[in-house]
Amino acid sequence: MPDNAQQTTSSGTTPADESPTTAHREKGPAGTPTHPLALAPVKSPPHSVDGFVAAFLGELNTTQGVQLSHSSINDQYLALAGTVRQYLMARWLETSRKTHEAKAKTVGYLSAEYLLGRQLGNALMASDLNEIAEKGLEQCGIDLATLRSQEVEPGLGNGGLGRLAACFIDSLATMNVPCIGYGIRYEYGIFRQTFVDGRQVEQPDTWLALGSPWEFPHPEESVQVNFGGHTERTVDEDGRERTTWVPAWNVLGVPYNYMVPGYLNGRVNPLRLWSAQATKAFDLSIFNAGDYAEAVRAQTFAENISKVLYPEDSTPQGKELRLQQQYFFVACSLRDFIDNELEEDFDLHNLPDRIIFQLNDTHPVIAVPELMRILMDERGFEWEEAWEVTHRCFAYTCHTLLPEALEVWSTDLLGRLLPRHLEIIYGINEHFLAEVRETFPGDELRAGRMSIITEYPDRGIRMAHLATVAATKVNGVAELHSQLLRDKVLPDFSALWPERFTNVTNGVTPRRFVKMANPKLSDVITDAIGSGWVTDLERLKELETYALDEDFLVAFREAKDWNKHRLTTLLRTRDGIDLPDGHLLDVMVKRLHEYKRQTLKLLHVVSLYEQVLSGKVAAADLTPRTVVFGAKAAPGYRMAKDIIHLINRVAHTINTDPCVEGRLKIAFPANYNVTLAEKLIPAADLSEQISLAGMEASGTGNMKFALNGALTVGTDDGANVEIRRLVGDENFFLFGMSEPQVAELGAHGYNPGEYYQRNASIRAAIDLINSGAFSDGDRGMFDSVTVSLTHHDRFMVLADFQSYVDAQAKIEEKYADQDAWTRSAVLNVARCGYFSSDRSMRDYIRNIWHTQPML
Ligand code: NBG
């Protein structure tokens, strides 16, 4: 806590004599407008080239303060964004008015991450402005594509979990479902990755540096968030015991609203991201005493809360700041919903009729005790009443199976930061364990296993248990994952409450990841079956008959070639990488993690190379192949960084060795992000989804590839299982152990050394790495990786190696028959309509949220 932090009252208001820096928004109409224009609906500029140009020039002149002739590209980009905003604005205001009027039940999506990707393209598409903008800008001598590439994407997430949140809010807007996305406006998003001598170096992501035209700050709607202090018991006028939290310090949460436009449907939902500020931006007393540095320190302390996204996605970082972030954004969000979205006299007993908060993993779970606190301490609810409401207001999605990724907060830390919440969590646990003991009398071992509190290694709160106890529904993100969640991660809970557990298989938005990312394929599809698939993806089924239509296959292949060409151009300018023509484009893009097994892909490449070096195979007999990697490693994850280094060193050696020139290449463009994904995925022939079975909760990249006409080589893991079932065995390359086989091997003791000894290709590939062939003769450089693979690898790479190599041989055989390959690719597209996030949203609505689309 900063020394000069401000004491606050428990109700979250600033004491009157310390004038707040912000004031709450007045409720209700600001006054009675008399001017007729103020009464008329908000107008968009005309939907025409002229209307667009006028609005654009207006933005340039009045917002950017420049003339076209003297404008920079950034000016033009900002003016274009401003223009598109003008078109969306009327719809946004109208959506908000209608939603309030209808008192519709809203989805409050609570997520610490939103990996949004660039906004401009999506906004243009959603408001049907692409052509108009292109023509209008052309008349001003401006190229739309240049302005598009000026945008720095908001990378406010690490990987799949954050991107899923972005897909879900897109779908809800498109389906006309009221939703507020709540999250954090990180000043620095996911780091920018560069490579120096093949090693990952992280640069800060200064995504706000050139201005952020998509956000609307509302400092006047700031919310105060309290931390620290202690609790006091008092007796109220009715003689009931009450608890008051007397916090020690506070910060302000400033909301920044983002538009989430539905696709061509007139709806624009809000995404509300919170930014932390010092309660008093400038502490006058300290300043007057001459301690300017101390005043600024207090400010920095507060602003740190929303400063950076934690660059982790599957291991918790027991960092106090992270817990501060979590509480910060949910406290802001609950207060915002209750104070600003509900009527003033709203009876909070009915809160579940108006909101369902979806907990995106455990990061927002502290919202549970926060709602209990609000209801009991601020609104006078009794425990049972408060619990009844709280329970019905939350649902929880788990996104992992890795035990180390399940968050546990030490009670010391939590008690210091949020003393009242810790008391409430203890209370929840007490009530919960009473229920367990009633259902399973005498089973103390079970009670211990289920307790929200763990005693080992230190006393801590198991956030997944808290979430499961609180939520109306708990879901995994693919069928296999949901089953393992029930059977292996939370079996005692599913025995107690079987009906609470459900599955919702993930999905991806077809707007961004097919229509926008792959315009050529989209045209081919639309020419064949009409444009309805964009919002009704199951209609892709109608493409099945086209898998035998020669003209269609040609058009389909042309689209793929066009995408490859586009990627080639991009990588040449972006990274100085040359993609050879005519190669099988074999793509593995995702976070770098041992369980995802980038090393398996790399060993395959090393093995191919070794066979040529040793003369076992003639280079001319290799299927020409370029393997593309894209991956960031969490900065503190040593092994992941070593693997990146190894990939880059192998790439350097192979790419410069004439003996495999034109046959084998590795491309590893740095800084894989949504923007790059949109170019890479449509170009891919082969999608690598090769995690150890039972480790990848779902995967969503796998869906994007299949929908863009790549064939998958994959294990029976996550959503791969469902993809394979839908596309058919003959259109999917399955390899490796199944989850039960993995479990069995684990139970018997996995001994990678045996595989190394028995399998000559494995031995040759590993030995080649150990020989220093990729490290200028330095034999020890990659010991960390090879020792792990051959001695104690939790993710059993060597056990699946031979099966993977066999699958690759089948892939090459099929690829040699381009017609057969293309037919399979078409069938992948045709049969993957299920993986639209619109379908995921329908599942959530039907089984979990019980909300309604608005008419
Ligand atoms: C990730 C899983 C993926 C899954 C996404 C979205 C986390 C903690 N989990 O398999 O690893 O597709 O969540 O559900 O980021």
Side-chain angles (χ1 to χ4, degrees):
M1 166 183 146
D3 308 338
N4 67 329
Q6 192 179 331
Q7 187 81 11
T8 58
T9 62
S10 60
S11 65
T13 52
T14 312
D17 56 339
E18 300 185 27
S19 57
T21 52
T22 61
H24 255 279
R25 186 180 62 169
E26 294 276 313
K27 289 230 168 178
T32 315
T34 47
H35 195 287
L37 279 180
L39 291 166
V42 179
K43 267 210 188 131
S44 298
H47 202 259
S48 65
V49 174
D50 287 348
F52 181 90
V53 171
F56 173 72
L57 293 176
E59 284 283 334
L60 254 189
N61 300 154
T62 56
T63 309
Q64 293 311 113
V66 290
Q67 298 247 315
L68 177 59
S69 52
H70 285 81
S71 59
S72 66
I73 288 181
N74 200 54
D75 286 327
Q76 295 166 7
Y77 160 67
L78 293 174
L80 172 58
T83 310
V84 181
R85 265 170 43 165
Q86 287 191 31
Y87 284 90
L88 288 172
M89 189 51 75
R91 305 204 217 158
W92 201 15
L93 297 173
E94 193 54 13
T95 302
S96 164
R97 190 185 65 74
K98 280 193 183 148
T99 309
H100 280 104
E101 223 171 69
K103 301 187 176 149
K105 182 168 176 180
T106 297
V107 178
Y109 202 80
L110 296 178
S111 178
E113 301 187 14
Y114 290 90
L115 196 46
L116 294 171
R118 284 180 176 161
Q119 297 297 287
L120 175 60
N122 188 58
L124 284 167
M125 173 176 64
S127 45
D128 195 21
L129 281 171
N130 259 319
E131 256 175 58
I132 287 177
E134 194 158 5
K135 286 196 186 127
L137 290 172
E138 201 184 301
Q139 290 177 8
C140 302
I142 298 169
D143 172 32
L144 173 58
T146 309
L147 299 196
R148 277 175 186 257
S149 42
Q150 180 66 13
E151 179 174 357
V152 182
E153 72 169 71
L156 310 183
N158 277 293
L161 173 145
R163 185 51 238 178
L164 186 78
C167 284
F168 281 5
I169 58 176
D170 175 89
S171 282
L172 288 172
T174 296
M175 295 163 67
N176 241 319
V177 177
C179 167
I180 306 176
Y182 282 116
I184 302 174
R185 178 184 177 271
Y186 301 103
E187 197 177 324
Y188 297 93
I190 180 76
F191 62 86
R192 196 162 63 77
Q193 178 192 52
T194 57
F195 296 139
V196 176
D197 295 332
R199 292 178 202 272
Q200 169 176 297
V201 173
E202 301 93 27
Q203 310 276 354
D205 165 47
T206 52
W207 70 288
L208 294 166
L210 289 177
S212 176
W214 303 103
E215 60 184 21
F216 296 80
H218 281 280
E220 78 290 356
E221 288 185 8
S222 294
V223 172
Q224 185 175 299
V225 182
N226 298 321
F227 289 98
H230 62 278
T231 60
E232 286 173 2
R233 310 264 174 266
T234 49
V235 176
D236 68 11
E237 54 269 31
D238 301 329
R240 293 180 306 182
E241 192 173 87
R242 292 287 167 211
T243 305
T244 311
W245 176 21
V246 185
W249 55 281
N250 58 51
V251 299
L252 278 182
V254 182
Y256 283 68
N257 292 335
Y258 286 72
M259 302 193 223
V260 184
Y263 177 70
L264 304 183
N265 72 343
R267 188 172 187 91
V268 181
N269 277 336
L271 168 64
R272 192 156 298 152
L273 303 181
W274 299 96
S275 174
Q277 261 183 27
T279 321
K280 289 192 289 178
F282 216 67
D283 189 321
L284 256 191
S285 58
I286 301 177
F287 182 66
N288 287 342
D291 200 346
Y292 177 76
E294 178 53 31
V296 173
R297 195 181 74 81
Q299 194 172 342
T300 310
F301 177 88
E303 288 170 6
N304 266 345
I305 291 185
S306 57
K307 189 68 82 184
V308 289
L309 166 76
Y310 272 86
E312 288 284 330
D313 75 346
S314 49
T315 53
Q317 255 184 0
K319 286 274 164 58
E320 179 162 347
L321 192 55
R322 179 131 164 155
L323 183 57
Q324 289 176 10
Q325 289 186 332
Q326 298 185 351
Y327 178 63
F328 166 73
F329 98 87
V330 300
C332 288
S333 306
L334 294 195
R335 171 118 4 242
D336 174 66
F337 188 80
I338 292 171
D339 287 358
N340 293 334
E341 300 296 327
L342 299 172
E343 305 76 66
E344 215 161 343
D345 58 353
F346 186 83
D347 177 357
L348 289 182
H349 289 93
N350 302 324
L351 190 59
D353 298 340
R354 294 291 291 278
I355 187 80
I356 175 78
F357 287 113
Q358 186 66 35
L359 301 165
N360 198 27
D361 223 282
T362 52
H363 317 138
V365 170
I366 197 72
V368 170
E370 171 68 358
L371 184 56
M372 288 292 283
R373 186 193 67 77
I374 293 173
L375 295 175
M376 293 192 302
D377 300 358
E378 294 183 10
R379 304 295 180 113
F381 280 43
E382 296 300 330
W383 180 280
E384 270 72 23
E385 291 175 286
W387 183 247
E388 154 82 10
V389 170
T390 300
H391 174 55
R392 291 174 51 215
C393 280
F394 287 102
Y396 161 54
T397 306
C398 174
H399 292 268
T400 191
L401 282 161
L402 300 185
E404 67 266 34
L406 296 171
E407 284 185 303
V408 176
W409 289 111
S410 105
T411 49
D412 277 356
L413 169 60
L414 209 136
R416 196 158 21 88
L417 212 56
L418 301 166
R420 178 62 180 138
H421 298 75
L422 183 59
E423 288 175 5
I424 292 173
I425 293 170
Y426 283 141
I428 294 173
N429 199 39
E430 221 173 89
H431 284 79
F432 162 60
L433 289 182
E435 186 181 341
V436 173
R437 291 188 174 110
E438 206 179 290
T439 318
F440 303 99
D443 194 347
E444 274 312 296
L445 273 178
R446 180 186 296 264
R449 286 197 307 267
M450 296 183 79
S451 174
I452 294 170
I453 315 297
T454 174
E455 301 295 337
Y456 306 102
D458 298 305
R459 194 153 230 252
I461 315 288
R462 299 194 267 222
M463 299 307 268
H465 290 205
L466 177 55
T468 305
V469 170
T472 42
K473 291 279 178 185
V474 176
N475 76 286
V477 288
E479 286 171 14
L480 174 66
H481 174 236
S482 294
Q483 179 214 317
L484 295 172
L485 190 63
R486 275 192 302 260
D487 299 349
K488 299 207 164 168
V489 183
L490 300 168
D492 295 315
F493 290 87
S494 70
L496 182 62
W497 301 308
E499 70 296 336
R500 191 169 294 192
F501 286 78
T502 185
N503 172 60
V504 180
T505 298
N506 283 343
V508 302
T509 170
R511 270 75 62 188
R512 179 178 290 270
F513 288 106
V514 185
K515 180 156 171 65
M516 190 174 105
N518 201 339
K520 292 288 171 203
L521 178 63
S522 299
D523 286 348
V524 172
I525 297 172
T526 299
D527 284 348
I529 64 170
S531 61
W533 60 274
V534 178
T535 49
D536 182 5
L537 205 62
E538 292 280 9
R539 290 188 50 187
L540 291 178
K541 278 216 170 70
E542 295 164 27
L543 290 176
E544 289 219 11
T545 51
Y546 289 87
L548 294 171
D549 176 330
E550 211 31 63
D551 292 343
F552 184 83
L553 294 181
V554 169
F556 190 93
R557 212 157 26 225
E558 275 171 8
K560 183 64 78 186
D561 287 345
W562 189 90
N563 291 329
K564 285 186 177 181
H565 188 253
R566 180 179 66 165
L567 180 66
T568 305
T569 313
L570 175 76
L571 292 188
R572 192 176 300 136
T573 46
R574 180 189 187 271
D575 305 275
I577 294 174
D578 262 322
L579 286 187
D581 271 351
H583 276 210
L584 187 163
L585 205 61
D586 176 355
V587 183
M588 182 160 191
V589 286
K590 47 186 81 250
R591 287 293 296 232
L592 201 309
H593 202 290
E594 286 164 280
Y595 85 78
K596 295 180 186 280
R597 305 200 296 189
Q598 278 92 352
T599 45
L600 178 55
K601 178 71 258 174
L602 190 69
L603 274 188
H604 173 232
V605 179
V606 170
S607 176
L608 290 173
Y609 178 58
E610 190 280 331
Q611 289 173 50
V612 174
L613 281 187
S614 63
K616 291 195 261 299
V617 170
D621 292 338
L622 292 181
T623 297
R625 181 195 292 254
T626 296
V627 175
V628 182
F629 288 97
K632 291 181 182 175
Y637 187 178
R638 281 290 301 276
M639 179 64 86
K641 292 179 118 176
D642 289 348
I643 293 169
I644 286 184
H645 186 206
L646 176 58
I647 297 174
N648 276 322
R649 294 301 295 243
V650 171
H652 178 74
T653 304
I654 291 184
N655 296 349
T656 52
D657 189 338
C659 88
V660 285
E661 200 183 335
R663 312 305 293 186
L664 188 60
K665 173 150 187 163
I666 295 180
F668 191 175
N671 203 40
Y672 176 63
N673 57 10
V674 177
T675 305
L676 183 57
E678 288 168 11
K679 296 278 165 35
L680 254 173
I681 292 171
D685 295 308
L686 185 62
S687 155
E688 298 275 350
Q689 308 301 336
I690 60 180
S691 52
L692 178 66
M695 295 288 158
E696 188 70 270
S698 163
T700 44
N702 48 3
M703 302 169 184
K704 293 166 199 157
F705 279 103
L707 281 166
N708 280 281
L711 271 58
T712 305
V713 53
T715 45
D716 228 1
D717 198 15
N720 292 356
V721 176
E722 290 156 73
I723 294 178
R724 182 169 66 92
R725 191 167 67 221
L726 285 166
V727 304
D729 281 342
E730 61 293 359
N731 303 305
F732 186 106
F733 300 99
L734 175 71
F735 78 98
M737 295 176 286
S738 64
E739 189 280 329
Q741 289 169 332
V742 169
E744 197 184 310
L745 181 58
H748 286 94
Y750 169 57
N751 180 2
E754 271 174 30
Y755 295 87
Y756 172 80
Q757 292 302 339
R758 271 203 321 250
N759 187 308
S761 310
I762 292 179
R763 209 165 50 242
I766 300 253
D767 288 355
L768 188 62
I769 298 172
N770 286 338
S771 74
F774 306 109
S775 42
D776 301 324
D778 180 344
R779 292 165 171 270
M781 188 181 277
F782 295 111
D783 272 1
S784 61
V785 181
T786 53
V787 168
S788 164
L789 289 176
T790 51
H791 287 77
H792 42 72
D793 172 24
R794 271 174 73 199
F795 305 106
M796 303 181 177
V797 168
L798 301 191
D800 275 346
F801 179 82
Q802 191 55 50
S803 166
Y804 181 65
V805 167
D806 296 344
Q808 290 290 347
K810 286 191 204 131
I811 287 164
E812 294 180 354
E813 201 181 305
K814 182 146 191 162
Y815 194 70
D817 180 350
Q818 277 293 294
D819 274 354
W821 183 276
T822 309
R823 265 197 303 280
S824 279
V826 171
L827 290 176
N828 266 264
V829 177
R831 295 175 181 173
C832 280
Y834 177 77
F835 299 105
S836 167
S837 44
D838 301 348
R839 188 269 314 144
S840 307
M841 293 297 87
R842 276 195 296 277
D843 288 352
Y844 275 95
I845 289 170
R846 189 177 336 105
N847 301 329
I848 301 177
W849 297 336
H850 310 296
T851 44
Q852 299 284 333
M854 284 181 57
L855 297 174

